[in-house]
Amino acid sequence: MNVTLAVKQYVTKMIENSGPGMKVLLMDRETKEVYLFERIDSKNRDNMKHLKAICFLRPTKENVEQLIQELRRPKYSVYFICKSFTEISLPVNPHLFSLNLQGVARGRSWDSSMLSRCTHGLTSVLLALKKCPMIRYQLSSDMAKRLGESVKQIITKEYELFDFRKTEVPPVLLILDRSDDAITPLLNQWTYQAMVHELLGLNNNRIDLSRVPGISKDLREVVLSADNDEFYANNLYLNFGEIGTNIKNLMEDFQKKKPKGQQKLESISDMKVVGELSRLVSERRLMEVSEVEQELACQNDHSSAQQKVRRLLQNPRVTELDAVRLVMLYALRYERHSSSILPALMDELSKRGVSERHRRMVKSVVEYGGKRVRGSDLITATDAVAITKQFFKGFSGVENVYTQHQPLLNDTLDQLIKGRLKDSQFPYLGASSLRDRPQDIIVFIIGGATFEEALSVYNLNRSSPGVRIVLGGSSIHNTNSFLEEVMSATGHSSDRPAGTGRHSNRN
């Protein structure tokens, strides 16, 4: 299963079905972020009767009204109307897609408009992949059950569209809730794509470098796409140490071959991006911060953890955001510990001048993903033998201590692949259940997925012969966008993290 290829094939078929001849693609204002041709709400389009128009639009009231106005005064010879799903489901990697939706929850329930948009986005992905799945959902999440029921209702209603060739083992759609694992989106990352999103922010493969010291005008915004950037494609899942070696080789090749045009621009862009990542890692003391984050997420030594968190809170080089998320991780990890020093850590945040908005976020994160909410055993005691195994199992290059953590999704999918995922925690919708181990798995996370989870899916696809997994989320999070999601869900949407907006840092 490849969501990038599926979308490309859909667009190709759409164009081919409109017959021979020159064509114009009409889109709404959101779809335009993916395919830059003509927008239906543009008032300055010329009459071009020699062209056929393919209307690639979401089925919204606004777009229908725009289309009616267009057809009353047609500018093109023929109109082919297609429902847009690339706006709703944006392929990020071959095994990863996003719906580009921020703030899907209000408390523990759906935002009224978001359930419909997630339903249509998810069913569009199923149609593109030609899958009619059995549906499983996280029992502890009413939102997961409602989305599953909504998707199943559309599949039942539009059964002819989902009448695909039957496979020996039916595909599975597994619907999860972000609140079951609030730790993963709070961790610093050490693979290329994940670091770029965490530290710089990926927005539809675009990166804003305008704040980079000394950046030239033509590099203030760069595009990183695995489709046309060889270095980016080859280094997506490599860790920071390996990236440093590879960028050195790229620089040497650049000096020898002196590439021109697009290849030159891509090489310079990658060098600038990696250089800025290195600067931020050093400036923000991120290796020290990440080591403590990993200890909080993976180990069970309260005495050591509290000392290290306190020491970092007193370091002026640690940013406000990094300080706050260390306290958030502590609050989630030691939420009910008898010797919790959370009040003292909150006082430390106040002493260093952390804003009231950021301090309130600590409580909001626990409200969003604390023990009372979770359906899984996210926090487990880790013995010394398990820690030793994790230490020697990590990536080369970057010290293993920075990559101990495995997202909860990794264990959930591992259990599903092995046929051990408990029906009592992840029931099926309907009477049927799967007797065989699944082969095609589409997993969707309400509230957003992360690139660390995408890395887990990538590795599981490589290590599980015969199993194909695609991951999707209402968005793809970094820490800032996740905190925005949390504040929206807990009723504090006006308290946005610094530097974020409703569509910022999305993918």
Side-chain angles (χ1 to χ4, degrees):
M1 293 189 295
N2 184 323
V3 286
T4 305
L5 181 61
V7 169
K8 286 181 177 178
Q9 288 174 338
Y10 180 88
V11 175
T12 300
K13 184 177 180 182
M14 179 179 68
I15 293 171
E16 288 175 348
N17 286 350
S18 64
M22 297 289 287
K23 306 169 184 75
V24 62
L25 193 59
L26 279 182
M27 297 153 295
D28 57 34
R29 62 170 175 258
E30 293 185 64
T31 311
K32 185 177 184 293
E33 290 187 5
V34 185
Y35 295 98
L36 302 176
F37 294 100
E38 284 282 10
R39 268 178 47 175
I40 195 167
D41 58 350
S42 174
K43 305 299 182 185
N44 300 316
R45 286 183 286 116
D46 296 327
N47 284 314
M48 297 182 182
K49 297 294 185 181
H50 61 291
L51 294 180
K52 298 175 180 179
I54 301 170
C55 302
F56 199 42
L57 311 167
R58 281 195 306 118
T60 65
K61 182 179 179 181
E62 179 186 2
N63 287 339
V64 170
E65 289 173 353
Q66 296 274 9
L67 186 57
I68 290 170
Q69 295 302 317
E70 175 74 24
L71 295 177
R72 280 176 178 164
R73 298 178 185 84
K75 292 179 172 63
Y76 311 104
S77 59
V78 180
Y79 285 78
F80 296 85
I81 300 171
C82 305
K83 174 185 172 183
S84 163
F85 68 84
T86 54
E87 173 275 332
I88 303 173
S89 51
L90 174 69
V92 180
N93 296 335
H95 63 280
L96 176 67
F97 68 91
S98 168
L99 303 190
N100 271 358
L101 298 174
Q102 188 78 31
V104 298
R106 292 295 177 268
R108 311 301 306 160
S109 303
W110 280 99
D111 176 272
S112 56
S113 65
M114 291 297 180
L115 176 59
S116 174
R117 294 193 69 174
C118 278
T119 300
H120 286 109
L122 196 44
T123 51
S124 295
V125 171
L126 296 176
L127 286 169
L129 295 172
K130 296 181 171 58
K131 302 297 178 186
C132 182
M134 303 181 77
I135 300 174
R136 299 185 72 172
Y137 65 95
Q138 182 182 313
L139 181 63
S140 62
S141 169
D142 183 62
M143 290 179 70
K145 184 178 182 180
R146 285 197 65 193
L147 179 59
E149 290 171 341
S150 187
V151 170
K152 188 175 179 65
Q153 187 177 18
I154 286 189
I155 291 175
T156 303
K157 182 180 178 182
E158 306 288 352
Y159 66 93
E160 291 180 348
L161 291 177
F162 288 89
D163 188 21
F164 303 121
R165 181 177 59 86
K166 295 289 189 293
T167 55
E168 187 175 336
V169 181
V172 172
L173 169 62
L174 176 64
I175 302 175
L176 306 175
D177 195 314
R178 176 76 273 159
S179 62
D180 218 34
D181 178 7
I183 285 179
T184 296
L186 291 172
L187 298 173
N188 270 292
Q189 299 301 312
W190 294 102
T191 54
Y192 189 28
Q193 187 178 41
M195 284 184 76
V196 168
H197 191 40
E198 179 60 39
L199 300 180
L200 302 175
L202 271 169
N203 184 353
N204 292 330
N205 291 331
R206 293 177 177 84
I207 304 172
D208 181 3
L209 296 179
S210 61
R211 298 177 185 176
V212 175
I215 197 73
S216 62
K217 188 176 181 180
D218 58 340
L219 289 174
R220 287 177 182 172
E221 182 180 81
V222 300
V223 175
L224 287 186
S225 171
D227 288 337
N228 50 35
D229 184 333
E230 185 179 356
F231 181 87
Y232 185 61
N234 293 338
N235 289 271
L236 281 179
Y237 308 113
L238 297 187
N239 66 62
F240 194 48
E242 294 167 312
I243 295 164
T245 301
N246 292 345
I247 203 72
K248 182 182 177 184
N249 296 335
L250 178 68
M251 292 172 70
E252 290 173 355
D253 287 345
F254 183 83
Q255 291 169 347
K256 288 178 185 176
K257 298 177 181 177
K258 294 182 171 56
K260 297 180 180 179
Q262 185 64 27
Q263 187 181 358
K264 177 181 178 181
L265 185 61
E266 289 162 6
S267 298
I268 294 173
S269 297
D270 282 305
M271 286 187 273
K272 289 292 184 184
V273 168
V274 174
E276 179 62 4
L277 293 179
S278 299
R279 186 185 73 83
L280 291 172
V281 167
S282 175
E283 183 180 272
R284 290 171 52 178
R285 294 291 191 266
L286 289 182
M287 298 193 87
E288 297 171 51
V289 171
S290 181
E291 182 177 351
V292 178
E293 290 175 356
Q294 292 288 318
E295 181 174 333
L296 287 166
C298 304
Q299 299 183 25
N300 192 32
D301 187 342
H302 179 258
S303 176
S304 171
Q306 65 165 315
Q307 291 174 24
K308 290 178 179 179
V309 171
R310 270 186 152 151
R311 187 178 71 247
L312 283 175
L313 293 187
Q314 293 164 5
N315 186 336
R317 298 287 293 275
V318 174
T319 67
E320 180 168 315
L321 177 63
D322 292 326
V324 168
R325 67 174 159 186
L326 281 168
V327 177
M328 289 173 178
L329 288 166
Y330 177 89
L332 288 168
R333 182 67 181 84
Y334 296 107
E335 183 182 354
R336 298 186 179 178
H337 195 279
S338 58
S339 303
S340 171
I341 61 162
L342 182 58
L345 295 180
M346 296 299 290
D347 287 342
E348 292 278 1
L349 291 179
S350 297
K351 286 177 186 176
R352 60 172 286 158
V354 171
S355 66
E356 183 184 352
R357 181 194 65 211
H358 266 138
R359 283 183 279 124
R360 280 204 303 267
M361 287 179 186
V362 176
K363 180 180 178 182
S364 294
V365 164
V366 176
E367 182 183 336
Y368 177 85
K371 194 171 182 64
R372 182 181 60 83
V373 173
R374 295 193 301 265
S376 65
D377 190 11
L378 178 65
I379 306 294
T380 55
T382 309
D383 61 31
V385 175
I387 292 171
T388 304
K389 285 181 179 178
Q390 285 178 321
F391 186 84
F392 286 107
K393 191 180 175 184
F395 296 108
S396 60
V398 172
E399 293 293 335
N400 299 330
V401 71
Y402 304 115
T403 56
Q404 296 175 61
H405 178 259
Q406 289 279 6
L408 179 64
L409 177 67
N410 191 77
D411 182 62
T412 302
L413 287 175
D414 184 60
Q415 295 297 311
L416 178 60
I417 291 167
K418 293 174 180 175
R420 298 174 185 167
L421 193 64
K422 294 179 180 178
D423 291 5
S424 58
Q425 292 178 312
F426 301 92
Y428 289 86
L429 274 181
S432 302
S433 61
L434 195 64
R435 288 192 293 261
D436 302 295
R437 295 183 181 184
Q439 295 176 344
D440 290 339
I441 301 168
I442 301 100
V443 56
F444 183 80
I445 304 179
I446 299 165
T450 68
F451 280 119
E452 186 183 356
E453 288 158 336
L455 176 63
S456 287
V457 169
Y458 172 77
N459 288 329
L460 284 168
N461 279 330
R462 294 177 68 194
S463 63
S464 310
V467 174
R468 295 165 292 274
I469 309 169
V470 165
L471 170 65
S474 47
S475 59
I476 307 297
H477 282 312
N478 57 18
T479 298
N480 270 326
S481 64
F482 172 63
L483 292 179
E484 186 179 337
E485 190 81 36
V486 167
M487 301 310 280
S488 175
T490 55
H492 304 286
S493 55
S494 60
D495 298 333
R496 286 175 178 161
T500 69
R502 185 167 177 78
H503 296 292
S504 67
N505 290 331
R506 66 180 184 171
N507 217 312

